[in-house]
Amino acid sequence: MKKLFTILGCIALFTVATTTVKAQNYKNAIGGRFGSYNGVSFKTGLSKGAMLELIGNFRSNNSFSWVQLTGLYEVYNPIKGADGLNWYYGGGASVGSVKNKFSDQSDIYLGVNGVLGLDYKFKGAPINLSLDWIPTLRLTPDTDFYSGDVGLGVRFTF
C-alpha cells in the first residue's frame, strides 16, 4: 500500500508541475473510444493545457463480461508545425467488474492507469480524433500489470 501511495504521489506531483503548457483547441468533447475495450469517452478542460477524460468501457465474450470506468488527468503539449495536433500524457484510476457467465461469479477490480497519446482537432469542424495507449496496474482482486489498451477516440467537440 505504501508503494501505491508513493506512485500516486509522484504522478500527481509530476502532472501538477507540468501544467503550464499551451491549451488544446477545444473545451469539451464527447464520443466513442474503440479498442479492445469499446466505450464512451468524455473530455473536459481543467486548467491551461490539461483535461479530464472519463471513459466507460465494456467488453464481452462467450465466457466473461467486463465493465470499467476510467478517469484520467491528461497534460497536453502542442506539436510544432502541426496545427491542431497535440501529444499528451497523464495518469488516473479505474474501477471495474468482471463476471463469469458460466459460474455466475463476479469480481470488482481497481487499477492505476497511465496514458500516452496523440490528439487532433480538425480546424473549422467540431471533430476530434485521438489515438492513445492506456497501461494499467491492477490492484485488486490480484495485483498484475496489463500492458494496455490502444484505442481510437472519435468525438464531437463543443
Side-chain angles (χ1 to χ4, degrees), residues 2 22 37 39 43 45 48 54 56 60-61 81 89 100 103 108 115 118 123 130 137 141 148 152:
K2 187 176 180 182
K22 182 182 172 190
Y37 290 89
K43 287 188 176 193
K48 189 173 182 179
L54 299 174
S60 184
N61 61 25
Y89 63 91
N100 184 323
S103 67
I108 293 178
V115 63
L118 293 171
K123 186 175 183 175
S130 66
L137 174 62
L152 172 67

Side-chain angles (χ1 to χ4, degrees), residues 7 11 21 86 98 104-105 109 111 117 138 147:
I7 291 169
I11 291 170
V21 295
N86 295 282
V98 60
D104 208 27
Q105 294 179 318
Y109 57 89
R138 291 206 177 115
S147 61

